[in-house]
Amino acid sequence: MAEHKYAQVRDHLLRRVSGLPVGGRLPPEAALCEEYAVSRITLRRAVEELVHDGHLIREHGRGTFVTRPRYALKHRERFVSEVTGFFTQMTRQGHTVTSEVLVQERTLAGARLGAALDISPAASVVRLERLRRVNGVTHHLAESYVEEERFADVLTADFTATSLYAYLRAHHDVLLARNEIVVGLHTCDRREAELLGVEPGSPLLLATSRVFDLDRKPVIHGTSKFLPETAELSFDIVADDAG
């Protein structure tokens, strides 16, 4: 029962702070305990989770304030069933993800993409560029490439409210089983700055990925450019039992 009460308080507080401006102050702890009819331990647990998730920040001697949330993408070395992407992870956490499709075009693979997707440099690929938002707030710029011969319908599909991963699963029965990710820093150019609402030259978190199917065939090559203040990438490294 206590676990259920804690979850109720956490979820209600999350909805509450989502409607407050950044910098808005939460009522004192005693007032919240009285309002929700819970103990300090239950309230603190709920608040602590929202602090951990980046929705709130504590300032010693001043109180607890609303901050801009950081949405964490968690990547594990071993997957239970399939690789999940940004859209699925965020929606499972209760967030609303939307995408503005900026580019959806056919282009030649070239040497770099040909090598990444294990296709001829002369082959055609579909380039998909999306500006992605979480709960209406700009989050990152995503660029994805797939082989046109294998996934020609990606050129005309609607990706405003669904993910590329989910589309390939639903329409091509492709199970994504592995994701190679390289993380680095990127200095945004003028176009990227305008799209993301930052100054040109601002640092971005760059994740370059190559996603494989069950047959170890590369399916998607892409990059995601994140705002460092609103995103983080989390990796779990699991040692091999035989090692």
Side-chain angles (χ1 to χ4, degrees), residues 116-128:
L117 292 173
D118 194 21
I119 58 177
S120 165
S124 292
V125 294
V126 179
R127 177 188 173 215
L128 182 64

Side-chain angles (χ1 to χ4, degrees), residues 137-159:
V137 179
T138 298
H139 187 270
H140 74 276
L141 188 62
E143 187 175 34
S144 305
Y145 294 87
V146 296
E147 182 183 5
E148 185 185 14
E149 183 178 356
R150 188 178 180 189
F151 307 113
D153 51 330
V154 170
L155 190 59
T156 55
D158 183 1
F159 289 100

Side-chain angles (χ1 to χ4, degrees), residues 30-216:
L32 289 174
C33 286
E34 183 177 351
E35 178 181 344
Y36 290 115
V38 295
S39 66
R40 288 181 181 270
I41 292 175
T42 299
L43 179 72
R44 286 174 181 173
R45 182 181 174 189
V47 171
E48 186 61 38
E49 187 162 315
L50 295 183
V51 170
H52 180 268
D53 289 344
H55 297 282
L56 296 172
I57 187 170
R58 284 198 179 100
E59 295 188 12
H60 184 68
R62 295 190 64 229
T64 304
F65 299 86
V66 178
T67 187
R68 197 173 186 182
R70 294 169 65 91
Y71 302 105
L73 268 175
K74 298 183 182 296
H75 298 283
R76 298 181 180 274
E77 189 181 40
R78 296 177 180 177
F79 299 92
V80 175
S81 57
E82 64 180 304
V83 171
T84 57
F86 175 81
F87 183 94
T88 298
Q89 289 195 34
M90 292 298 104
T91 53
R92 283 179 179 173
Q93 293 175 37
H95 304 297
T96 300
V97 180
T98 55
S99 298
E100 179 183 348
V101 179
L102 304 174
V103 177
Q104 196 167 9
E105 65 180 8
R106 174 190 298 110
T107 186
L108 290 180
R112 182 179 62 87
L113 281 173
L117 292 173
D118 194 21
I119 58 177
S120 165
S124 292
V125 294
V126 179
R127 177 188 173 215
L128 182 64
E129 185 184 39
R130 292 159 291 167
L131 185 63
R132 312 198 77 175
R133 297 182 174 92
V134 179
N135 302 327
V137 179
T138 298
H139 187 270
H140 74 276
L141 188 62
E143 187 175 34
S144 305
Y145 294 87
V146 296
E147 182 183 5
E148 185 185 14
E149 183 178 356
R150 188 178 180 189
F151 307 113
D153 51 330
V154 170
L155 190 59
T156 55
D158 183 1
F159 289 100
T160 55
T162 191
S163 73
L164 180 57
Y165 286 30
Y167 183 86
L168 296 182
R169 177 69 186 271
H171 295 270
H172 293 272
D173 198 27
V174 172
L175 186 67
L176 300 173
R178 176 182 164 203
N179 193 355
E180 292 181 349
I181 301 172
V182 177
V183 180
L185 292 178
H186 171 77
T187 301
C188 69
D189 60 25
R190 187 169 297 278
R191 175 178 178 269
E192 293 166 342
E194 184 176 343
L195 290 169
L196 295 170
V198 296
E199 291 295 320
S202 297
L204 302 176
L205 188 63
L206 174 66
T208 302
S209 65
R210 197 160 62 128
V211 190
F212 299 78
D213 61 19
L214 286 173
D215 296 323
R216 301 183 180 180

